[in-house]
Amino acid sequence: MAEARVIPLHGADREASRRRRGAAQARTQALGQLPEPPPPSSLSPSRESAHESAPEPEPTSSEPAAWERHLADLLSFARRRIQGDYEVDEFGFDPDLTDHILMPPLRPLYEKWFRVETIGMHNVPGEGGALIVANHSGTLPLDATMTAFAVRADHPKRRHLRMLGADLVFKTPVLGALARKSGQTLACNPDAERLLRSGELVGVWPEGFKGIGKPFKDRYKLQRFGRGGFVSAALNTGVPIIPCSIVGAEEIYPMIGDLKALARLFGFPYFPVTPFFPFLGPLGAIPLPSKWYIEFGEPIRTDVYGEHAADDPMLVFNLTDQVRETIQQTLYRLLTQRRNVFLG
Amino acid sequence: MAPKVVLVTGCSRFLGGHLAARFAANPDVERVLGVDTEPPSRDLLRRMGRAEFVRADIRNPLIAKVIATAHVDTVVHASVTANPAGPAGRTAMKEMNVIGTMQLLAACQKSPHVRKLVVKSTSAVYGSSSRDPAVFTEDMGPKDLPSSGYAKDAVEVEGYVRGFARRRPDVDVTALRFTNFIGPRIDTVLTRYFALPVVPTVLGYDARVQLLHSEDALAVLERATLHDLPGVYNVGGDGVLLLSQAIRRAGRINLPVPSGAVPMMGRLFRSARLVDFSPDQMRFLNWGRVVDTTLLKQEFGFTPRWTTQQAFDDYVSGRALRPIIDPELVASVERGVLDVAARLR
């Protein structure tokens, strides 16, 4: 940076989003569960009379109906799974499994452990393709899963975030199959453009392993943004790029060392040493409960550059830099607003 | 323009035989020649009607004489196969696929009457790996060239076909890259695989499988022969099944095998004459393969009648596969538990 920049200390819509979040929280309770039954209108006269005529089942019918319907939902889910009666898209995305099995365990992590607060969710379009570009950190890609959960639970349209993952993910048994079922696919331009063209919301973490595996002392310093492949994908499909800044994920596993030899042995890109891992064994794998903010910035339009814009490398570089700078500035702003790593 | 004299290779197998039968039933086609090394089954022969069967080996230069004397104007090369004929197996299959194609193309090149060539290829030419894009379009190539087996055969066959197209630019060449076939009547490695009561899969992997109903495959081959539609086209049904999902739909039991034990398992199944899987097909079980069929629908002008799921269900019901896990039982358990729950209330 050549000149000092003024960083606005209070994001315009931060307070508004705090208010919004209260409402969103109520809405998100319903994710992965059945919609709540309508509140019993105990004052209605017809119900009163029913109460008199059939005293036994009526008083309990309103409450167990919830668990019973939950059970029915669970059973029909189990039957669908046993009989293979569900749809999978060409990328291997299994929405039925994602909503019933993969997403619900993330809720306590999202709400109670990291207390994720989303800002600017209105910048994420309700329909049509869009590319969310975010900073990557935290040794394990929890930031990606939390962003996906945020978009699914807190967005008014409850969209699925289709994430682009490294090839290492898909090479790994179990993890690779699970990643595909949860809607991820390989980070390559054909896949990204196919998803964007079909109107999906795509998430990409262009720093890759450089970002997620950087030492703790480099926290919140953005690494190189790949080769700008994500920008050319957006340019080719004309979808907006939404810069996304995630604060809090850097502190979940503070990486103070990297055992390169072990990493090579296992074929990992890095082998992290945190204050608690590997010294405390599996206990060290518990992430620290930092307070998280996920801010979705103003969409950057890419449909104004014409048809062959992706063939202009200068434009691609400039847009890549613009996205990167936006995320970096937003990170600095969010950090100055944060008083405590764990309390926010 | 409708062809006058059609030669179909591999006519003792399902695709070639039924294709020859379709041409024989078509009054626009004057003469139909079916070529294979062994005669078709009696049932198939009856279906083929007025089609003439020529017992010839396409690996032998004799085929050139057949093509020249009969004034064949359209050659349908449908004998490239992934299913070894018998215990003689893999080497013979490779010979037939690769050397047979070479000879056949050489014969076609020599004959001035040949105007059209339709080749049944396979989507296996794209290979199968974790580094591939999720969906293959016709312009993509394999990340690492298949090193053995059917996929390598297919890559070589397509190479010879391209060479032929270069040397005979006046011939319309259509190469059709089919996904795996399925259907009640066709017999392939995959149909035998899903018919096993306990289906072994690779632990920790779940392949995306795209299938094509055998009737759709016949219709595509027929259309390519009767119309002038040169080019390379992917052919596959819409939609995808996960391998585990397909096994569940068939009511089979999935047996995940650690990947280290998979080759041993493969040998076991081969020696038991159950399913004959080659290493590249094993790799297919890890990652699967999906192809883009936009070109097929828009330029070739064909939309498969069966989706992957429908084709698979048709196979399950057509083969009368008795599900090991009875759907009725599952449904009744569900009803039972709900009844108990209702009573508890």
Side-chain angles (χ1 to χ4, degrees), chain B residues 82 84 90 180 189-194 196 199-200 243 262-263 265-267 269-270 274-285:
Chain B
R90 220 150 281 287
N180 292 69
V189 174
L190 215 58
T191 60
R192 290 186 199 183
Y193 173 69
F194 284 119
L196 294 171
V199 185
L243 189 61
V262 167
M265 199 77 175
R267 276 197 298 277
F269 275 80
R270 195 172 311 151
L274 286 170
V275 178
D276 192 347
F277 265 119
S278 63
D280 62 308
Q281 282 162 328
M282 303 259 191
R283 224 167 13 252
F284 173 73
L285 288 188

PDB file of all heavy atoms in Angstrom, chain B residues 82 84 90 180 189-194 196 199-200 243 262-263 265-267 269-270 274-285:
ATOM      1  N   ALA B  82     -16.234 -53.555 -23.756  1.00  0.00           N
ATOM      2  CA  ALA B  82     -15.547 -53.620 -22.469  1.00  0.00           C
ATOM      3  C   ALA B  82     -15.725 -54.975 -21.826  1.00  0.00           C
ATOM      4  O   ALA B  82     -15.168 -55.236 -20.774  1.00  0.00           O
ATOM      5  CB  ALA B  82     -16.107 -52.541 -21.537  1.00  0.00           C
ATOM      6  N   PRO B  84     -15.139 -58.769 -21.832  1.00  0.00           N
ATOM      7  CA  PRO B  84     -14.425 -59.875 -22.440  1.00  0.00           C
ATOM      8  C   PRO B  84     -15.370 -61.053 -22.692  1.00  0.00           C
ATOM      9  O   PRO B  84     -16.255 -61.340 -21.886  1.00  0.00           O
ATOM     10  CB  PRO B  84     -13.347 -60.234 -21.423  1.00  0.00           C
ATOM     11  CG  PRO B  84     -13.674 -59.483 -20.198  1.00  0.00           C
ATOM     12  CD  PRO B  84     -14.621 -58.391 -20.540  1.00  0.00           C
ATOM     13  N   ARG B  90      -9.078 -60.976 -21.672  1.00  0.00           N
ATOM     14  CA  ARG B  90      -8.639 -59.612 -21.863  1.00  0.00           C
ATOM     15  C   ARG B  90      -7.775 -59.392 -23.105  1.00  0.00           C
ATOM     16  O   ARG B  90      -7.987 -58.430 -23.848  1.00  0.00           O
ATOM     17  CB  ARG B  90      -7.857 -59.208 -20.630  1.00  0.00           C
ATOM     18  CG  ARG B  90      -8.097 -57.837 -20.166  1.00  0.00           C
ATOM     19  CD  ARG B  90      -7.928 -57.760 -18.672  1.00  0.00           C
ATOM     20  NE  ARG B  90      -9.103 -58.267 -17.994  1.00  0.00           N
ATOM     21  CZ  ARG B  90     -10.249 -57.609 -17.942  1.00  0.00           C
ATOM     22  NH1 ARG B  90     -10.355 -56.456 -18.551  1.00  0.00           N
ATOM     23  NH2 ARG B  90     -11.279 -58.097 -17.314  1.00  0.00           N
ATOM     24  N   ASN B 180     -22.026 -45.859 -19.415  1.00  0.00           N
ATOM     25  CA  ASN B 180     -22.326 -47.276 -19.221  1.00  0.00           C
ATOM     26  C   ASN B 180     -23.768 -47.581 -19.590  1.00  0.00           C
ATOM     27  O   ASN B 180     -24.662 -46.796 -19.310  1.00  0.00           O
ATOM     28  CB  ASN B 180     -22.081 -47.664 -17.770  1.00  0.00           C
ATOM     29  CG  ASN B 180     -20.617 -47.619 -17.429  1.00  0.00           C
ATOM     30  OD1 ASN B 180     -20.026 -46.548 -17.372  1.00  0.00           O
ATOM     31  ND2 ASN B 180     -20.023 -48.776 -17.249  1.00  0.00           N
ATOM     32  N   VAL B 189     -20.789 -55.826 -17.794  1.00  0.00           N
ATOM     33  CA  VAL B 189     -20.151 -56.006 -16.496  1.00  0.00           C
ATOM     34  C   VAL B 189     -21.005 -55.372 -15.404  1.00  0.00           C
ATOM     35  O   VAL B 189     -21.190 -55.924 -14.330  1.00  0.00           O
ATOM     36  CB  VAL B 189     -18.745 -55.365 -16.522  1.00  0.00           C
ATOM     37  CG1 VAL B 189     -18.120 -55.414 -15.143  1.00  0.00           C
ATOM     38  CG2 VAL B 189     -17.850 -56.074 -17.507  1.00  0.00           C
ATOM     39  N   LEU B 190     -21.560 -54.190 -15.722  1.00  0.00           N
ATOM     40  CA  LEU B 190     -22.309 -53.444 -14.717  1.00  0.00           C
ATOM     41  C   LEU B 190     -23.631 -54.124 -14.356  1.00  0.00           C
ATOM     42  O   LEU B 190     -24.036 -54.138 -13.199  1.00  0.00           O
ATOM     43  CB  LEU B 190     -22.563 -52.027 -15.243  1.00  0.00           C
ATOM     44  CG  LEU B 190     -22.547 -50.918 -14.204  1.00  0.00           C
ATOM     45  CD1 LEU B 190     -21.225 -50.870 -13.470  1.00  0.00           C
ATOM     46  CD2 LEU B 190     -22.834 -49.585 -14.853  1.00  0.00           C
ATOM     47  N   THR B 191     -24.308 -54.688 -15.370  1.00  0.00           N
ATOM     48  CA  THR B 191     -25.578 -55.340 -15.049  1.00  0.00           C
ATOM     49  C   THR B 191     -25.338 -56.574 -14.188  1.00  0.00           C
ATOM     50  O   THR B 191     -26.146 -56.901 -13.325  1.00  0.00           O
ATOM     51  CB  THR B 191     -26.348 -55.756 -16.318  1.00  0.00           C
ATOM     52  OG1 THR B 191     -25.548 -56.655 -17.067  1.00  0.00           O
ATOM     53  CG2 THR B 191     -26.716 -54.573 -17.163  1.00  0.00           C
ATOM     54  N   ARG B 192     -24.206 -57.237 -14.408  1.00  0.00           N
ATOM     55  CA  ARG B 192     -23.899 -58.392 -13.546  1.00  0.00           C
ATOM     56  C   ARG B 192     -23.522 -57.946 -12.147  1.00  0.00           C
ATOM     57  O   ARG B 192     -23.845 -58.598 -11.160  1.00  0.00           O
ATOM     58  CB  ARG B 192     -22.722 -59.174 -14.137  1.00  0.00           C
ATOM     59  CG  ARG B 192     -23.103 -59.885 -15.390  1.00  0.00           C
ATOM     60  CD  ARG B 192     -21.982 -60.746 -15.836  1.00  0.00           C
ATOM     61  NE  ARG B 192     -22.142 -61.079 -17.234  1.00  0.00           N
ATOM     62  CZ  ARG B 192     -21.322 -61.872 -17.880  1.00  0.00           C
ATOM     63  NH1 ARG B 192     -20.294 -62.396 -17.260  1.00  0.00           N
ATOM     64  NH2 ARG B 192     -21.528 -62.131 -19.137  1.00  0.00           N
ATOM     65  N   TYR B 193     -22.826 -56.814 -12.108  1.00  0.00           N
ATOM     66  CA  TYR B 193     -22.368 -56.279 -10.830  1.00  0.00           C
ATOM     67  C   TYR B 193     -23.544 -55.959  -9.921  1.00  0.00           C
ATOM     68  O   TYR B 193     -23.586 -56.354  -8.764  1.00  0.00           O
ATOM     69  CB  TYR B 193     -21.526 -55.041 -11.123  1.00  0.00           C
ATOM     70  CG  TYR B 193     -21.081 -54.234  -9.944  1.00  0.00           C
ATOM     71  CD1 TYR B 193     -20.138 -54.724  -9.053  1.00  0.00           C
ATOM     72  CD2 TYR B 193     -21.567 -52.952  -9.736  1.00  0.00           C
ATOM     73  CE1 TYR B 193     -19.700 -53.967  -7.990  1.00  0.00           C
ATOM     74  CE2 TYR B 193     -21.131 -52.187  -8.679  1.00  0.00           C
ATOM     75  CZ  TYR B 193     -20.205 -52.693  -7.809  1.00  0.00           C
ATOM     76  OH  TYR B 193     -19.780 -51.932  -6.751  1.00  0.00           O
ATOM     77  N   PHE B 194     -24.547 -55.263 -10.472  1.00  0.00           N
ATOM     78  CA  PHE B 194     -25.684 -54.872  -9.645  1.00  0.00           C
ATOM     79  C   PHE B 194     -26.602 -56.057  -9.342  1.00  0.00           C
ATOM     80  O   PHE B 194     -27.465 -55.958  -8.483  1.00  0.00           O
ATOM     81  CB  PHE B 194     -26.487 -53.765 -10.322  1.00  0.00           C
ATOM     82  CG  PHE B 194     -25.832 -52.424 -10.241  1.00  0.00           C
ATOM     83  CD1 PHE B 194     -25.468 -51.743 -11.390  1.00  0.00           C
ATOM     84  CD2 PHE B 194     -25.552 -51.850  -9.015  1.00  0.00           C
ATOM     85  CE1 PHE B 194     -24.858 -50.507 -11.307  1.00  0.00           C
ATOM     86  CE2 PHE B 194     -24.941 -50.614  -8.927  1.00  0.00           C
ATOM     87  CZ  PHE B 194     -24.593 -49.945 -10.088  1.00  0.00           C
ATOM     88  N   LEU B 196     -25.472 -58.847  -8.187  1.00  0.00           N
ATOM     89  CA  LEU B 196     -24.922 -59.576  -7.047  1.00  0.00           C
ATOM     90  C   LEU B 196     -25.761 -59.268  -5.812  1.00  0.00           C
ATOM     91  O   LEU B 196     -26.205 -58.143  -5.625  1.00  0.00           O
ATOM     92  CB  LEU B 196     -23.481 -59.137  -6.776  1.00  0.00           C
ATOM     93  CG  LEU B 196     -22.431 -59.455  -7.834  1.00  0.00           C
ATOM     94  CD1 LEU B 196     -21.129 -58.755  -7.475  1.00  0.00           C
ATOM     95  CD2 LEU B 196     -22.207 -60.948  -7.916  1.00  0.00           C
ATOM     96  N   VAL B 199     -23.084 -56.326  -2.898  1.00  0.00           N
ATOM     97  CA  VAL B 199     -22.312 -55.615  -3.916  1.00  0.00           C
ATOM     98  C   VAL B 199     -21.091 -54.962  -3.275  1.00  0.00           C
ATOM     99  O   VAL B 199     -21.230 -54.063  -2.446  1.00  0.00           O
ATOM    100  CB  VAL B 199     -23.185 -54.544  -4.598  1.00  0.00           C
ATOM    101  CG1 VAL B 199     -22.427 -53.887  -5.723  1.00  0.00           C
ATOM    102  CG2 VAL B 199     -24.468 -55.167  -5.113  1.00  0.00           C
ATOM    103  N   PRO B 200     -19.883 -55.397  -3.633  1.00  0.00           N
ATOM    104  CA  PRO B 200     -18.703 -54.773  -3.053  1.00  0.00           C
ATOM    105  C   PRO B 200     -18.435 -53.401  -3.668  1.00  0.00           C
ATOM    106  O   PRO B 200     -18.547 -53.222  -4.878  1.00  0.00           O
ATOM    107  CB  PRO B 200     -17.576 -55.758  -3.400  1.00  0.00           C
ATOM    108  CG  PRO B 200     -18.062 -56.494  -4.584  1.00  0.00           C
ATOM    109  CD  PRO B 200     -19.554 -56.475  -4.568  1.00  0.00           C
ATOM    110  N   LEU B 243     -23.215 -44.468  -6.594  1.00  0.00           N
ATOM    111  CA  LEU B 243     -23.113 -45.927  -6.609  1.00  0.00           C
ATOM    112  C   LEU B 243     -23.878 -46.526  -5.436  1.00  0.00           C
ATOM    113  O   LEU B 243     -24.646 -47.483  -5.597  1.00  0.00           O
ATOM    114  CB  LEU B 243     -21.634 -46.327  -6.573  1.00  0.00           C
ATOM    115  CG  LEU B 243     -21.352 -47.793  -6.804  1.00  0.00           C
ATOM    116  CD1 LEU B 243     -21.837 -48.207  -8.170  1.00  0.00           C
ATOM    117  CD2 LEU B 243     -19.859 -48.075  -6.678  1.00  0.00           C
ATOM    118  N   VAL B 262      -9.110 -54.308  -2.682  1.00  0.00           N
ATOM    119  CA  VAL B 262      -9.951 -54.327  -3.878  1.00  0.00           C
ATOM    120  C   VAL B 262      -9.389 -55.209  -5.004  1.00  0.00           C
ATOM    121  O   VAL B 262     -10.130 -56.005  -5.585  1.00  0.00           O
ATOM    122  CB  VAL B 262     -10.221 -52.890  -4.362  1.00  0.00           C
ATOM    123  CG1 VAL B 262     -10.801 -52.887  -5.756  1.00  0.00           C
ATOM    124  CG2 VAL B 262     -11.185 -52.201  -3.418  1.00  0.00           C
ATOM    125  N   PRO B 263      -8.064 -55.117  -5.303  1.00  0.00           N
ATOM    126  CA  PRO B 263      -7.561 -55.990  -6.376  1.00  0.00           C
ATOM    127  C   PRO B 263      -7.772 -57.466  -6.081  1.00  0.00           C
ATOM    128  O   PRO B 263      -8.153 -58.240  -6.972  1.00  0.00           O
ATOM    129  CB  PRO B 263      -6.070 -55.641  -6.430  1.00  0.00           C
ATOM    130  CG  PRO B 263      -5.962 -54.301  -5.827  1.00  0.00           C
ATOM    131  CD  PRO B 263      -7.035 -54.214  -4.799  1.00  0.00           C
ATOM    132  N   MET B 265     -10.105 -58.720  -4.216  1.00  0.00           N
ATOM    133  CA  MET B 265     -11.542 -58.941  -4.377  1.00  0.00           C
ATOM    134  C   MET B 265     -11.883 -59.121  -5.872  1.00  0.00           C
ATOM    135  O   MET B 265     -12.664 -60.005  -6.234  1.00  0.00           O
ATOM    136  CB  MET B 265     -12.265 -57.704  -3.831  1.00  0.00           C
ATOM    137  CG  MET B 265     -13.698 -57.941  -3.505  1.00  0.00           C
ATOM    138  SD  MET B 265     -13.861 -58.828  -1.945  1.00  0.00           S
ATOM    139  CE  MET B 265     -15.620 -58.803  -1.822  1.00  0.00           C
ATOM    140  N   GLY B 266     -11.256 -58.286  -6.691  1.00  0.00           N
ATOM    141  CA  GLY B 266     -11.508 -58.365  -8.126  1.00  0.00           C
ATOM    142  C   GLY B 266     -11.122 -59.724  -8.677  1.00  0.00           C
ATOM    143  O   GLY B 266     -11.867 -60.339  -9.443  1.00  0.00           O
ATOM    144  N   ARG B 267      -9.938 -60.210  -8.247  1.00  0.00           N
ATOM    145  CA  ARG B 267      -9.482 -61.531  -8.719  1.00  0.00           C
ATOM    146  C   ARG B 267     -10.437 -62.621  -8.275  1.00  0.00           C
ATOM    147  O   ARG B 267     -10.762 -63.533  -9.024  1.00  0.00           O
ATOM    148  CB  ARG B 267      -8.080 -61.807  -8.184  1.00  0.00           C
ATOM    149  CG  ARG B 267      -6.988 -61.200  -9.043  1.00  0.00           C
ATOM    150  CD  ARG B 267      -5.637 -61.834  -8.729  1.00  0.00           C
ATOM    151  NE  ARG B 267      -5.225 -61.593  -7.347  1.00  0.00           N
ATOM    152  CZ  ARG B 267      -4.628 -60.475  -6.941  1.00  0.00           C
ATOM    153  NH1 ARG B 267      -4.389 -59.515  -7.796  1.00  0.00           N
ATOM    154  NH2 ARG B 267      -4.268 -60.324  -5.696  1.00  0.00           N
ATOM    155  N   PHE B 269     -13.612 -62.376  -7.643  1.00  0.00           N
ATOM    156  CA  PHE B 269     -14.856 -62.345  -8.404  1.00  0.00           C
ATOM    157  C   PHE B 269     -14.635 -62.864  -9.820  1.00  0.00           C
ATOM    158  O   PHE B 269     -15.507 -63.478 -10.403  1.00  0.00           O
ATOM    159  CB  PHE B 269     -15.436 -60.933  -8.441  1.00  0.00           C
ATOM    160  CG  PHE B 269     -16.279 -60.621  -7.253  1.00  0.00           C
ATOM    161  CD1 PHE B 269     -15.680 -60.269  -6.059  1.00  0.00           C
ATOM    162  CD2 PHE B 269     -17.655 -60.710  -7.305  1.00  0.00           C
ATOM    163  CE1 PHE B 269     -16.442 -60.000  -4.941  1.00  0.00           C
ATOM    164  CE2 PHE B 269     -18.425 -60.444  -6.195  1.00  0.00           C
ATOM    165  CZ  PHE B 269     -17.818 -60.089  -5.016  1.00  0.00           C
ATOM    166  N   ARG B 270     -13.429 -62.586 -10.357  1.00  0.00           N
ATOM    167  CA  ARG B 270     -13.170 -63.044 -11.718  1.00  0.00           C
ATOM    168  C   ARG B 270     -13.072 -64.555 -11.752  1.00  0.00           C
ATOM    169  O   ARG B 270     -13.647 -65.219 -12.611  1.00  0.00           O
ATOM    170  CB  ARG B 270     -11.865 -62.415 -12.234  1.00  0.00           C
ATOM    171  CG  ARG B 270     -11.711 -62.532 -13.731  1.00  0.00           C
ATOM    172  CD  ARG B 270     -10.504 -61.732 -14.182  1.00  0.00           C
ATOM    173  NE  ARG B 270     -10.526 -60.389 -13.615  1.00  0.00           N
ATOM    174  CZ  ARG B 270      -9.434 -59.686 -13.351  1.00  0.00           C
ATOM    175  NH1 ARG B 270      -8.238 -60.192 -13.596  1.00  0.00           N
ATOM    176  NH2 ARG B 270      -9.522 -58.480 -12.861  1.00  0.00           N
ATOM    177  N   LEU B 274     -18.091 -64.358 -11.560  1.00  0.00           N
ATOM    178  CA  LEU B 274     -19.248 -63.532 -11.225  1.00  0.00           C
ATOM    179  C   LEU B 274     -19.209 -62.251 -12.052  1.00  0.00           C
ATOM    180  O   LEU B 274     -20.056 -61.999 -12.883  1.00  0.00           O
ATOM    181  CB  LEU B 274     -19.244 -63.200  -9.734  1.00  0.00           C
ATOM    182  CG  LEU B 274     -19.634 -64.355  -8.823  1.00  0.00           C
ATOM    183  CD1 LEU B 274     -19.363 -63.991  -7.371  1.00  0.00           C
ATOM    184  CD2 LEU B 274     -21.096 -64.698  -8.995  1.00  0.00           C
ATOM    185  N   VAL B 275     -18.180 -61.452 -11.794  1.00  0.00           N
ATOM    186  CA  VAL B 275     -18.023 -60.198 -12.519  1.00  0.00           C
ATOM    187  C   VAL B 275     -16.562 -60.080 -12.881  1.00  0.00           C
ATOM    188  O   VAL B 275     -15.694 -60.386 -12.078  1.00  0.00           O
ATOM    189  CB  VAL B 275     -18.435 -59.001 -11.639  1.00  0.00           C
ATOM    190  CG1 VAL B 275     -18.228 -57.714 -12.392  1.00  0.00           C
ATOM    191  CG2 VAL B 275     -19.867 -59.134 -11.201  1.00  0.00           C
ATOM    192  N   ASP B 276     -16.284 -59.624 -14.104  1.00  0.00           N
ATOM    193  CA  ASP B 276     -14.907 -59.497 -14.538  1.00  0.00           C
ATOM    194  C   ASP B 276     -14.542 -58.020 -14.634  1.00  0.00           C
ATOM    195  O   ASP B 276     -14.796 -57.360 -15.626  1.00  0.00           O
ATOM    196  CB  ASP B 276     -14.743 -60.181 -15.905  1.00  0.00           C
ATOM    197  CG  ASP B 276     -13.279 -60.325 -16.260  1.00  0.00           C
ATOM    198  OD1 ASP B 276     -12.447 -59.693 -15.595  1.00  0.00           O
ATOM    199  OD2 ASP B 276     -12.979 -61.087 -17.193  1.00  0.00           O
ATOM    200  N   PHE B 277     -13.988 -57.506 -13.550  1.00  0.00           N
ATOM    201  CA  PHE B 277     -13.639 -56.087 -13.510  1.00  0.00           C
ATOM    202  C   PHE B 277     -12.177 -55.875 -13.845  1.00  0.00           C
ATOM    203  O   PHE B 277     -11.307 -56.547 -13.307  1.00  0.00           O
ATOM    204  CB  PHE B 277     -13.900 -55.521 -12.113  1.00  0.00           C
ATOM    205  CG  PHE B 277     -15.240 -54.882 -11.997  1.00  0.00           C
ATOM    206  CD1 PHE B 277     -16.164 -55.348 -11.102  1.00  0.00           C
ATOM    207  CD2 PHE B 277     -15.569 -53.797 -12.803  1.00  0.00           C
ATOM    208  CE1 PHE B 277     -17.406 -54.755 -10.996  1.00  0.00           C
ATOM    209  CE2 PHE B 277     -16.801 -53.202 -12.698  1.00  0.00           C
ATOM    210  CZ  PHE B 277     -17.718 -53.680 -11.792  1.00  0.00           C
ATOM    211  N   SER B 278     -11.904 -54.945 -14.731  1.00  0.00           N
ATOM    212  CA  SER B 278     -10.517 -54.599 -15.017  1.00  0.00           C
ATOM    213  C   SER B 278     -10.113 -53.440 -14.108  1.00  0.00           C
ATOM    214  O   SER B 278     -10.971 -52.774 -13.536  1.00  0.00           O
ATOM    215  CB  SER B 278     -10.391 -54.191 -16.480  1.00  0.00           C
ATOM    216  OG  SER B 278     -11.160 -53.038 -16.712  1.00  0.00           O
ATOM    217  N   PRO B 279      -8.795 -53.199 -13.972  1.00  0.00           N
ATOM    218  CA  PRO B 279      -8.365 -52.135 -13.050  1.00  0.00           C
ATOM    219  C   PRO B 279      -8.956 -50.773 -13.371  1.00  0.00           C
ATOM    220  O   PRO B 279      -9.280 -50.014 -12.452  1.00  0.00           O
ATOM    221  CB  PRO B 279      -6.847 -52.123 -13.240  1.00  0.00           C
ATOM    222  CG  PRO B 279      -6.512 -53.496 -13.688  1.00  0.00           C
ATOM    223  CD  PRO B 279      -7.676 -53.968 -14.490  1.00  0.00           C
ATOM    224  N   ASP B 280      -9.147 -50.461 -14.673  1.00  0.00           N
ATOM    225  CA  ASP B 280      -9.697 -49.130 -14.947  1.00  0.00           C
ATOM    226  C   ASP B 280     -11.167 -49.054 -14.582  1.00  0.00           C
ATOM    227  O   ASP B 280     -11.678 -47.993 -14.240  1.00  0.00           O
ATOM    228  CB  ASP B 280      -9.458 -48.722 -16.409  1.00  0.00           C
ATOM    229  CG  ASP B 280     -10.151 -49.655 -17.379  1.00  0.00           C
ATOM    230  OD1 ASP B 280      -9.945 -50.874 -17.240  1.00  0.00           O
ATOM    231  OD2 ASP B 280     -10.875 -49.174 -18.261  1.00  0.00           O
ATOM    232  N   GLN B 281     -11.835 -50.201 -14.607  1.00  0.00           N
ATOM    233  CA  GLN B 281     -13.223 -50.181 -14.147  1.00  0.00           C
ATOM    234  C   GLN B 281     -13.297 -50.062 -12.632  1.00  0.00           C
ATOM    235  O   GLN B 281     -14.227 -49.492 -12.085  1.00  0.00           O
ATOM    236  CB  GLN B 281     -13.941 -51.438 -14.623  1.00  0.00           C
ATOM    237  CG  GLN B 281     -14.317 -51.339 -16.077  1.00  0.00           C
ATOM    238  CD  GLN B 281     -14.621 -52.679 -16.687  1.00  0.00           C
ATOM    239  OE1 GLN B 281     -14.046 -53.691 -16.313  1.00  0.00           O
ATOM    240  NE2 GLN B 281     -15.526 -52.677 -17.639  1.00  0.00           N
ATOM    241  N   MET B 282     -12.269 -50.593 -11.954  1.00  0.00           N
ATOM    242  CA  MET B 282     -12.193 -50.422 -10.506  1.00  0.00           C
ATOM    243  C   MET B 282     -12.036 -48.946 -10.170  1.00  0.00           C
ATOM    244  O   MET B 282     -12.646 -48.441  -9.230  1.00  0.00           O
ATOM    245  CB  MET B 282     -10.971 -51.157  -9.950  1.00  0.00           C
ATOM    246  CG  MET B 282     -10.979 -52.610 -10.286  1.00  0.00           C
ATOM    247  SD  MET B 282     -11.535 -53.539  -8.889  1.00  0.00           S
ATOM    248  CE  MET B 282     -11.137 -55.164  -9.429  1.00  0.00           C
ATOM    249  N   ARG B 283     -11.200 -48.276 -10.987  1.00  0.00           N
ATOM    250  CA  ARG B 283     -11.009 -46.851 -10.750  1.00  0.00           C
ATOM    251  C   ARG B 283     -12.325 -46.111 -10.968  1.00  0.00           C
ATOM    252  O   ARG B 283     -12.638 -45.161 -10.274  1.00  0.00           O
ATOM    253  CB  ARG B 283      -9.921 -46.309 -11.683  1.00  0.00           C
ATOM    254  CG  ARG B 283      -8.990 -45.414 -10.969  1.00  0.00           C
ATOM    255  CD  ARG B 283      -7.715 -45.055 -11.689  1.00  0.00           C
ATOM    256  NE  ARG B 283      -7.609 -45.352 -13.069  1.00  0.00           N
ATOM    257  CZ  ARG B 283      -6.847 -46.326 -13.570  1.00  0.00           C
ATOM    258  NH1 ARG B 283      -6.163 -47.088 -12.771  1.00  0.00           N
ATOM    259  NH2 ARG B 283      -6.781 -46.503 -14.860  1.00  0.00           N
ATOM    260  N   PHE B 284     -13.080 -46.578 -11.923  1.00  0.00           N
ATOM    261  CA  PHE B 284     -14.394 -45.995 -12.181  1.00  0.00           C
ATOM    262  C   PHE B 284     -15.288 -46.113 -10.945  1.00  0.00           C
ATOM    263  O   PHE B 284     -16.069 -45.220 -10.644  1.00  0.00           O
ATOM    264  CB  PHE B 284     -15.015 -46.713 -13.384  1.00  0.00           C
ATOM    265  CG  PHE B 284     -16.435 -46.332 -13.654  1.00  0.00           C
ATOM    266  CD1 PHE B 284     -16.739 -45.096 -14.188  1.00  0.00           C
ATOM    267  CD2 PHE B 284     -17.470 -47.200 -13.375  1.00  0.00           C
ATOM    268  CE1 PHE B 284     -18.053 -44.737 -14.433  1.00  0.00           C
ATOM    269  CE2 PHE B 284     -18.780 -46.852 -13.616  1.00  0.00           C
ATOM    270  CZ  PHE B 284     -19.065 -45.624 -14.143  1.00  0.00           C
ATOM    271  N   LEU B 285     -15.123 -47.215 -10.212  1.00  0.00           N
ATOM    272  CA  LEU B 285     -15.921 -47.387  -8.999  1.00  0.00           C
ATOM    273  C   LEU B 285     -15.532 -46.393  -7.911  1.00  0.00           C
ATOM    274  O   LEU B 285     -16.294 -46.130  -6.998  1.00  0.00           O
ATOM    275  CB  LEU B 285     -15.761 -48.808  -8.448  1.00  0.00           C
ATOM    276  CG  LEU B 285     -16.424 -49.919  -9.241  1.00  0.00           C
ATOM    277  CD1 LEU B 285     -16.341 -51.203  -8.479  1.00  0.00           C
ATOM    278  CD2 LEU B 285     -17.874 -49.578  -9.524  1.00  0.00           C
TER     279      LEU B 285
END
